[in-house]
Amino acid sequence: MTTWMIEYSYDDQAEQRDALRPKHRAYLSQLAEQGSLPAFGRYTDEGPAGALLIAKAPQRSDVEAMLDEDPYAEAGLIANRRIREWPAVWADAA
């Protein structure tokens, strides 16, 4: 299984994102429960609005299909998304 890093850049439609945030978070949580999205979260610093997601999927096309169903994507609230293969080294929990 390949690990992927996804970076979302949001546009200036903050009110629309706020309205859809519960559906967006529920969708991402569902992917997390399935094991497809082990980590996700929005940036909270002074930089541009956006988020970082970590996905696990066999192919880039699987990641793209998963992201296309995000309520934010369906509503056109993501200005840009960058998907990169990421051969992550995970720290051992023990």
Side-chain angles (χ1 to χ4, degrees), residues 7-35:
E7 188 170 21
Y8 278 178
S9 297
Y10 297 138
D11 58 20
D12 60 356
Q13 299 179 71
E15 288 183 26
Q16 292 88 336
R17 279 196 315 278
D18 289 347
L20 275 179
R21 184 167 288 122
K23 288 182 180 181
H24 164 73
R25 299 277 308 195
Y27 179 71
L28 298 182
S29 293
Q30 176 187 6
L31 294 174
E33 289 174 11
Q34 296 169 357

Side-chain angles (χ1 to χ4, degrees), residues 35-46:
S36 299
L37 200 66
F40 60 91
R42 65 185 172 103
Y43 297 125
T44 59
D45 61 8
E46 64 279 349

